[in-house]
Every structure is written in C-alpha cells, then in structure tokens.
Amino acid sequence: MDKLVITGNGPLKGEILISGAKNSALKLMVACLLTDEPLVLSRMPNLADTRFLSELLASLGVEVYWPRGENTCHLNAATLKTTIAPYEQVRKMRASFNVLGPLLAREGHATVSLPGGCAIGARPVDLHLQAFEAMGADIVIEEGYVKAAAIRGLKGAEIEFPFPSVGATEHTMLTATLAKGVTTIKNAACEPEIEDLADCLNAMGAKISGAGTSTIEIEGVSKLNGHKHLVMADRIEAGTYAMAVAATGGDVLLRDAPVEGLSAMIESLEKAGVSAMPEESGLRIQRAEGRLKPVDINTAPHPGFPTDLQAQFMALMTTADGESTIRENIFENRFMHVPELSRLGAKIQVKGNEAIVTGVDELKAAPVMATDLRASVSLVIAGLVATGTTTVSRVYHLDRGFERLEEKLEACGGKVIRETE
Ligand code: EPU
C-alpha cells in the first residue's frame, strides 16, 4: 500500500494543468451503452475509478481501447455480452450502478447489484428506482440485486425529485434518451457535470433541453449514434489545488480550470483574503503574506459550495485567524478528516453537521490516515503547511480521484513523495 510523505516547503508557484472531471467521465463512459457505434472520450482522467469502470464495461461486452497513461478512451458497445453487473464490481465503486438505466433502455432488462452504503453516508438509490418505475419499468429487489425489466420498452414520464440528486438526475437523463415520449425531470440537480453529459448525449442524437437548470426535458429517440467528446475539466480538482495554494501562499495558474463552475468557492476564497482571478487560460490563485480570515461555509447543491470541497476548505481554515463554521448539508458522515486534521494540531469541534474550526498559528507534522477521497486530499493540503514531515497512509483513496497529484504539486515546489509501505 502506498503512502505520501509531505514536507512543508513554503509557497507553491507555477502552473497546474487541470485533468478531466472524474464525476463527469464516469457518466459519459456509461453513455456508450446507449449506442452500437463508438464513443470516444478525450481528456479522460487516468484514475482508479475510471479504469475500474472501463473493466466493468468490458465485462458487459464493450470493446475498450484505452492504453495505460493515455487520455483518450475508445468505447464500442456494438454488441453486449450480458446485462448483469455483479456485487463485486458495483461494491467497489458506486458509480457502476449507473449502468442499470442504459442497459434497461437498450436491452429491456438489467440486473445490477445495489451499491450499498459508503464511508460518507448511507447513499440510497431510491430516487433512481422511482424514476425508472415512473417510466414503466418493473423493479424487484432480490438478494441485494435490482432486477429491472421493461418488456414493452420505457415510456416518458414526469418525475419530480424531493431534492436535487446529481446521480438520480444523470441516471434518469441517460435512460430517458431512448424512452418513448417526453420525460420531464423537475427539481433536477444543476451541477456542471450534468450539462457536460447532456452535451455529449445531444451530440449523439438525443434531444435534451434544460440541463444545468432545475427542469430538464428529454424527448426520447429510437437510436443514438457515436461521437467524440472532450470531458470537461475537473472543478473539484481545480478547487483542491486552489485551496493548496491558498493554504501555503504563492501564485499558481490552474490551467483549464472551469471557472464558471467554481463561483461559490471563489467567493469563499476571496472572503478569506485569497485572490482568485479568472484568466483566459484558467484561474490564477495568489495569496500574499499574513493570516487568512475565517470564513463560514454551508455545503449545498450547485451553485452552492460543493460538498466535494468541504474537507479541503476545512484544512484551509485550520490556520485562519479566528473561528469558522463549516456545515455539511449533503452527506450525513463527511467529517472523517476531523480527527486526522486534529492529529496535526488543528482545533475542530464537531456538533452534528457543524464543525467549528478555531484557527491555530501553525500545524505540526504527524502520521495520518486517509479515509475517503476528499478527506485524504485535505490531509495533503494540511501536510503542505505543517512544519515537519507528514505521512498520509492509505492513499488508494486519493488515487480514485486525483491524477498525478504528487507530480502536479512537485512542479510547483511542493515536496510530496510517494512511498510503498
Ligand atoms: N440520495 C438519496 N436517494 C437517492 C440518491 C441520493 O437519498 O436515490 C441522497 C444521498 O444519500 C445524498 C444526497 O441525496 O445524501 C445527494 O446525493 P447525490 O445523488 O446528489 O450524490 P451522488 O450522485 O451519489 C455525486 C458525486 C459525489 C458528490 C455528490 C454531490 C459522482 C460519482 N459522485 O454523488 O462525489 O459528492 O454527487 O455533489 O458523481 C466525490 O467525488 O468524492 C463524491 C462523493
């Protein structure tokens, strides 16, 4: 198992190229199941999660051509071998569950394992299943598997979610492209990744309007065609490096950062005293000398502050000049980084979904452990500002969502070395 050895080395300076967005790529890859023509995705992030999904797709019969280290992935679902996705595969990565709707839409039936809970919360899939039932699917849950069938095909439906769910919105949108008639999703999630997916599906021949707003309309078509799509740049990766620069000080251009998707974070960084300036080629983050100001944040569906940047922002606030309140409103258990940040000297008190962070003068190095993807990278940020050498173990969590993290930080002067334990 790998660990990262991080030595505080002062301000970060230079340029970081932002990779393709994991959370967009995973849904775009699944879109290949809706057509018998090739789907080619460029700016594909090389991550444990995307590689894992490519293996699952291959096991369903998709021809996958994606040489190691390359950022273009060719997917061809001309023929499918099976419509069953077993527990061993779905358990490892929740996004695998999204193969259910496209398989159902194309083949009329699918059997996919329930994903189960995960470290950050219970994360049920009830809204996904309700949407498919509304579209005429028969759903049975047996021995941990969802067995879905729509013998006479899916039909358009009006679906209103009780709250915006990114996954349920994307999964319904994917599935409705091949249903008969019009599907309307009300109270849809508005995340930029949903727009990216809709753009790709529309280029494949789907008829989707309103993606990126709370009402999405999908007019079903009988067939989708192949396409070559550029995956959007990762706003969470960009936000994470923005926070690393804000924490250490310095001046870094985040090349290709999707600025429009980062407004809530930019606003919070500016309140903290960090400059986040959009430029033609990306987002420039600069922090001058002096302590950061404390800033309260509330995670919320887009365009609110993203839950996927909450841990990183908390790491930043650990050395601010005063007290900040961080409220997590999306997942019920997303404060696992708190005890680890405390090992580095942070002062944080958790009450329910609220963490009160009292800024300290400095963090001090310690061995810490990664518990989930975003929590692990918050420890890397804290390690970059701590005095001494911090080791972060169990970095396989981090490898699920950050492409060449050590390399990107090292190019800007960060001392981050990967070692095998
Ligand atoms: N929820 C339900 N029922 C459902 C679906 C969701 O109760 O059927 C609940 C969830 O348990 C959660 C809330 O609704 O409390 C929001 O969940 P959502 O469906 O919006 O999240 P998701 O689709 O499961 C995606 C990202 C997450 C990101 C969230 C919120 C992917 C693969 N995952 O998850 O990313 O935090 O949206 O923006 O796109 C990460 O990358 O680290 C990560 C966890």
Side-chain angles (χ1 to χ4, degrees):
M1 229 185 281
D2 289 355
K3 64 180 178 185
L4 289 182
V5 181
I6 305 159
T7 311
N9 192 34
L12 295 171
K13 287 194 178 127
E15 202 176 293
I16 295 176
L17 178 67
I18 301 305
S19 298
K22 166 184 82 90
N23 287 348
S24 197
L26 292 171
K27 325 304 163 60
L28 290 164
M29 291 173 82
V30 163
C32 80
L33 294 171
L34 295 165
T35 174
D36 57 7
E37 295 179 18
L39 176 65
V40 180
L41 299 172
S42 52
R43 189 154 65 190
M44 268 294 287
N46 269 292
L47 300 168
D49 274 12
T50 46
R51 287 286 168 184
F52 176 75
L53 183 58
S54 70
E55 283 165 27
L56 168 63
L57 291 172
S59 76
L60 297 174
V62 177
E63 268 178 42
V64 181
Y65 176 71
W66 187 12
R68 289 267 145 206
E70 285 195 13
N71 293 102
T72 300
C73 168
H74 301 249
L75 301 163
N76 188 346
T79 48
L80 294 174
K81 276 202 301 238
T82 172
T83 56
I84 301 174
Y87 177 60
E88 296 68 48
Q89 284 172 316
V90 183
R91 176 180 65 97
K92 282 199 208 142
M93 192 193 47
R94 299 181 52 83
S96 311
F97 187 70
N98 288 316
V99 301
L100 176 70
L103 288 174
L104 176 66
R106 176 160 161 185
E107 301 288 298
H109 58 91
T111 299
V112 176
S113 167
L114 279 166
C118 78
I120 61 176
R123 305 183 76 183
V125 287
D126 51 332
L127 302 182
H128 304 227
L129 301 184
Q130 281 162 23
F132 300 150
E133 277 179 334
M135 292 163 77
D138 292 316
I139 308 249
V140 180
I141 298 180
E142 256 174 29
E143 297 172 349
Y145 279 79
V146 177
K147 296 182 177 173
I151 305 304
R152 272 174 240 99
L154 293 168
K155 54 183 191 321
E158 188 152 307
I159 292 152
E160 179 157 6
F161 290 130
F163 52 87
S165 153
V166 176
T169 301
E170 292 167 332
H171 204 176
T172 306
M173 198 166 82
L174 279 159
T175 309
T177 56
L178 293 181
K180 279 194 201 86
V182 176
T183 299
T184 310
I185 309 175
K186 292 194 172 151
N187 208 8
C190 304
E191 269 65 7
E193 291 75 16
I194 296 169
E195 272 183 87
D196 197 25
L197 178 61
D199 288 347
C200 177
L201 290 169
N202 281 338
M204 291 166 73
K207 290 188 176 165
I208 302 171
S209 58
T213 74
S214 58
T215 305
I216 303 179
E217 208 171 83
I218 306 120
E219 192 185 326
V221 294
S222 56
K223 188 182 178 320
L224 293 183
N225 46 260
H227 172 55
K228 184 165 195 271
H229 184 80
L230 175 71
V231 179
M232 69 173 281
D234 197 319
R235 65 194 169 99
I236 304 303
E237 189 200 18
T240 299
Y241 290 124
M243 240 78 88
V245 182
T248 58
D251 181 342
V252 172
L253 174 70
L254 303 174
R255 186 170 287 279
D256 290 349
V259 175
E260 323 74 53
L262 284 164
S263 48
M265 181 211 71
I266 291 177
E267 201 182 301
S268 302
L269 280 185
E270 285 186 336
K271 281 191 200 154
V274 178
S275 154
M277 286 292 291
E279 290 184 4
E280 211 175 302
S281 52
L283 181 66
R284 183 170 295 281
I285 308 293
Q286 290 170 313
R287 177 181 153 201
E289 298 284 298
R291 299 269 305 261
L292 293 166
K293 292 192 213 90
V295 178
D296 299 341
I297 58 158
N298 269 293
T299 65
H302 191 73
F305 194 97
T307 172
D308 291 346
L309 288 174
Q310 177 259 107
Q312 300 88 316
F313 198 81
M314 191 185 295
L316 183 64
M317 288 294 105
T318 57
T319 54
D321 190 11
E323 195 176 279
S324 52
T325 303
I326 294 183
R327 268 184 218 100
E328 172 56 51
N329 300 307
I330 306 293
F331 292 110
E332 60 273 27
N333 188 27
R334 213 174 195 183
F335 281 149
M336 275 115 36
H337 39 288
V338 170
E340 300 302 307
L341 288 171
S342 302
R343 289 177 54 76
L344 298 167
K347 277 200 182 150
I348 307 167
Q349 243 199 321
V350 175
K351 288 186 197 140
N353 73 332
E354 212 173 84
I356 317 280
V357 185
T358 308
V360 293
D361 289 342
E362 61 170 17
L363 297 179
K364 293 203 176 86
V368 287
M369 199 173 73
T371 47
D372 76 72
L373 170 56
R374 310 302 175 187
S376 22
V377 86
S378 78
L379 301 175
V380 174
I381 295 173
L384 286 168
V385 280
T387 52
T389 298
T390 296
T391 49
V392 181
S393 53
R394 298 198 179 170
V395 295
Y396 55 85
H397 289 292
L398 211 138
D399 295 334
R400 296 186 54 187
F402 290 92
E403 192 179 46
R404 297 183 287 105
L405 175 109
E406 314 89 275
E407 224 179 276
K408 290 187 184 191
L409 285 171
E410 289 231 12
C412 293
K415 273 194 166 176
V416 183
I417 296 162
R418 181 180 289 258
E419 285 180 3
T420 301
E421 280 179 303

